[in-house]
Amino acid sequence: MTDGLRMTVLGSGYLGITHAASMASLGFEVLGLDTDAGRVDQLNAGRLPIHEPGLEELLCAGLEAGRLRFTTSYPEAAAFGDVHFICTGTPQQPGSDRADLSQVHGCVAALAPLLDRPCLVVGKSTVPVGTARRLAAELSQACPGAELAWNPEFLREGSAVADTLAPDRIVAGVTSGRAEQILRQVYARPLAGGAVFIVTSLETAELAKAAANAFLATKISFINAMAEICETAGGDVRDLAQILGADPRIGPAFLRAGLGYGGGCLPKDIRAFVARAEELGAGASLAFLREVDAINLRRRARTADLVHELAGGNLAGVPVCVLGAAFKPGSDDVRDSPALDVAQILTGMGARATVYDPAALDNARRVRPGLSYAPTLAGAAQGAHVVLLLTEWPEFTALTPGRLGGIVARRNIIDARNALDPAPWQEAGWEYRALGVAADAAARARLDASP
Ligand code: UGA
């Protein structure tokens, strides 16, 4: 069955669309499935519902080559696929830290009874450890020839296509040599390109994703904790990160101090990981991740406090320009967006915050209709007393103090992503503040007063 494999991809979020289009570009015949008919029509028309560089081209190439199409029909998917990829979302449950697995369970429950020939169902969604074992039992009960494997995805938004076509590692959580062979066939091209293939159990494969995201979040919160110390003691976290990162045992990646992590993955994944460990009686092992989360959220409050300070201690009616709504540049994703949280906090403190983002305004308006938005950068900056750089889009990092200085009412800027060179701003008369860099006088006073 490994010759001319036909694949279905269940779910058409970030992961599903990227996986479907990538597999089609590797020469496989792919049928994507989503229960949302509008989304399916949109995808079949070659229109990408998300902002992801290079993905629309890949989608259109797959459609034009006749190797990719989308459906809402589970019977069609069951009849079509030799390999079925589960790519549905696992968001945080409202009111709980746990992952909401209803989409994963829903798609297996819909597919399993329709399967009537040997096939491999491959989970790619991020799930709590133990989920795959239960799904495997459900599947084999419904169709004895249907087998489950777990194959977590490590793609990043903004570089999803490259991460999918040329991953650094492929994790194959399997229970048979047959499943391993099918996954080797699926990923033959990336494997030939040098990707590491790691065969392991279902549980280790599930844990691999949770552990990887927990490590990345910990690294970011570590440097942000150092930023807090720098702010208190008078250090500069950018220099500190450079010094730490030069040690090859530490490495420079994910040591960019600032407003911290957001998005649809790291925040909810580490919370779900802690919740699962607690369910398993191993809560103490991951208790530190609660602190990682707390450090991350404190950066948002600190940024708002800095604005308050720069505005002279009263934010009532103060016009503030908020640059950024997406959780990171290159994306229109505003899930758990640190930038929108800061805008919300400032609005709550009485400021007149106006948000601009080059890609995420529509999504931001939808999830935070109470905030004010401007369709252009100049519109958001007009008359501002404080400018906040919260998402490091190239359009913002290329800003010059002279150009912006002609639009704002007061020259105050907070670089919450440590993305600007302070010198030209300070030379042009701006009060430049960044997270992790103390205002010298205050820090010196604290050091002098300390025992
Ligand atoms: C993350 C992981 O990096 C992927 O490996 C994983 O597959 C994905 O989650 C997922 O679980 O699906 P992503 O959420 O796209 O990918 O974004 P990242 O590039 O990891 O950035 C996450 C956040 O951390 C962003 O808000 C970014 O601004 C922030 N960040 C990143 C920092 O604050 N400092 C850094 O040094 C790096």
Side-chain angles (χ1 to χ4, degrees):
M1 87 174 241
T2 53
D3 285 336
L5 284 179
R6 303 208 310 173
M7 302 174 176
T8 74
V9 174
L10 313 171
S12 71
Y14 247 102
L15 173 56
I17 302 172
T18 309
H19 193 66
S22 299
M23 287 296 128
S25 83
L26 293 176
F28 294 105
E29 272 189 68
V30 183
L31 179 64
L33 180 142
D34 200 291
T35 48
D36 179 338
R39 199 162 171 101
V40 163
D41 289 345
Q42 198 179 349
L43 288 164
N44 278 329
R47 289 198 313 275
L48 195 63
I50 51 174
H51 175 95
E52 182 61 41
L55 187 52
E56 192 159 279
E57 291 82 339
L58 211 64
L59 168 72
C60 291
L63 295 169
E64 276 158 28
R67 281 197 297 271
L68 175 61
R69 65 194 166 81
F70 295 84
T71 181
T72 55
S73 164
Y74 271 102
E76 195 184 347
F80 183 90
D82 304 305
V83 183
H84 303 278
F85 288 97
I86 303 171
C87 293
T88 49
T90 54
Q92 187 172 339
Q93 272 179 29
S96 153
D97 282 349
R98 290 203 201 92
D100 174 356
L101 297 179
S102 56
Q103 293 178 55
V104 170
H105 286 303
C107 95
V108 172
L111 181 72
L114 302 170
L115 298 173
D116 57 6
R117 64 189 164 94
C119 63
L120 186 66
V121 177
V122 182
K124 292 194 77 66
S125 307
T126 302
V127 293
V129 60
T131 306
R133 193 67 60 180
R134 283 198 299 277
L135 293 175
E138 188 182 332
L139 261 179
S140 62
Q141 207 174 12
C143 171
E147 195 180 336
L148 188 84
W150 215 261
N151 166 224
E153 178 57 56
F154 300 100
L155 68 81
R156 291 160 299 173
E157 293 183 18
S159 55
V161 171
D163 289 350
T164 306
L165 292 175
D168 40 28
R169 79 280 212 199
I170 293 160
V171 175
V174 293
T175 55
S176 77
R178 172 176 160 269
E180 177 189 334
Q181 284 317 312
I182 294 171
L183 286 175
R184 282 188 186 278
Q185 163 94 2
V186 167
Y187 293 112
R189 188 89 69 83
L191 288 174
V196 180
F197 192 77
I198 299 159
V199 179
T200 186
S201 64
L202 295 176
E203 288 75 15
T204 308
E206 291 167 309
L207 284 170
K209 177 60 184 282
N213 276 359
F215 190 86
L216 293 172
T218 303
K219 212 172 168 193
I220 297 169
S221 278
F222 176 85
I223 200 64
N224 282 334
M226 295 306 110
E228 291 183 337
I229 299 293
C230 285
E231 284 158 14
T232 312
D236 185 326
V237 77
R238 290 167 300 197
D239 292 348
L240 189 62
Q242 196 186 351
I243 295 161
L244 294 177
D247 181 335
R249 294 169 302 174
I250 298 174
F254 275 69
L255 282 185
R256 204 166 18 77
L259 192 51
Y261 59 83
C265 302
L266 299 191
K268 62 101 178 161
D269 284 352
I270 70 158
R271 290 174 199 146
F273 199 15
V274 175
R276 185 61 179 142
E278 285 169 354
E279 283 171 0
L280 295 170
S285 307
L286 296 187
F288 73 97
L289 287 177
R290 292 216 182 274
E291 199 52 41
V292 165
D293 196 9
I295 293 166
N296 191 54
L297 296 176
R298 279 208 297 271
R299 295 286 72 192
R300 303 177 190 188
R302 168 68 185 155
T303 304
D305 286 347
L306 264 180
V307 182
H308 185 253
E309 204 180 305
L310 278 185
N314 182 4
L315 276 173
V318 171
V320 176
C321 164
V322 174
L323 299 181
F327 83 104
K328 71 173 189 182
S331 167
D332 65 351
D333 195 341
V334 296
R335 287 175 292 173
D336 208 327
S337 161
L340 289 184
D341 260 8
V342 171
Q344 190 78 59
I345 297 169
L346 289 171
T347 304
M349 290 165 90
R352 285 198 291 116
T354 306
V355 181
Y356 168 72
D357 188 285
L361 279 182
D362 288 347
N363 285 342
R365 278 199 185 93
R366 205 167 42 246
V367 299
R368 308 265 186 149
L371 293 175
S372 298
Y373 300 93
T376 60
L377 193 160
Q382 189 66 47
H385 288 194
V386 184
V387 176
L388 276 165
L389 196 166
L390 302 185
T391 310
E392 66 279 33
W393 283 99
E395 182 181 344
F396 302 156
T397 58
L399 276 171
T400 57
R403 192 186 143 215
L404 202 57
I407 308 173
V408 297
R410 297 197 188 157
R411 295 186 167 208
N412 292 310
I413 186 158
I414 297 173
D415 177 6
R417 291 291 181 183
N418 281 299
L420 300 172
D421 176 5
W425 294 85
Q426 285 160 342
E427 282 156 19
W430 284 74
E431 177 72 25
Y432 169 94
R433 302 292 290 275
L435 293 182
V437 187
D440 283 352
R444 229 171 290 126
R446 258 192 305 273
L447 282 181
D448 288 346
S450 65

